[in-house]
Amino acid sequence: MLRVYIPVSLVAAVLFFGIIVTGFFNLYDSFPLFDKVLHLAGGFAVAWLAHALFRSSVTHLSPVPRIVFIAGVVALVGVAWEIAEFLSNRAQDVFPLFYRYFHGGGLADTLADMTTNVIGALIYSVSFGQRS
């Protein structure tokens, strides 16, 4: 179970940094590509967590199906995240504090975020995901 604590901690750190710290210091406006760096780190962290959680299920898979599975989990989490951003945008008048710390851009931003999430998953999968 110790294998799960480190990726869970990394996911929590990316979430805390990405939502609280960047929102408080308005880093998204100061550094235009900062959002993509966070999505890359988030994709990597979720891939690590997925690999740790499903290790016994994916160990027997050959490398390509294992990478596809891990990238698929990351894509699913990314879709859920983007839906939450969309809902935050729609409810900004009702929940302005939620909107301040958790909102997204348009379609191009969403597609770039999803792509960057999967790139983070691929970096993890190719670099570390082949180890059992």
Side-chain angles (χ1 to χ4, degrees), residues 17-18 21-39 109 113:
F17 194 77
V21 175
T22 57
F24 185 76
F25 292 109
N26 207 17
L27 295 176
Y28 289 122
D29 294 334
S30 303
F31 306 102
L33 293 177
F34 194 70
D35 181 49
K36 302 309 171 242
V37 171
L38 284 174
H39 278 277
D109 177 66
D113 289 350

Side-chain angles (χ1 to χ4, degrees), residues 107-125:
L107 178 60
D109 177 66
T110 297
L111 293 175
D113 289 350
M114 294 293 299
T115 302
T116 310
N117 289 339
V118 172
I119 290 170
L122 294 176
I123 290 171
Y124 170 81
S125 295

Side-chain angles (χ1 to χ4, degrees), residues 85-97:
E85 282 186 356
F86 172 77
L87 293 174
S88 172
N89 288 347
R90 302 291 273 174
Q92 64 182 310
D93 295 333
V94 179
F95 302 108
L97 186 63

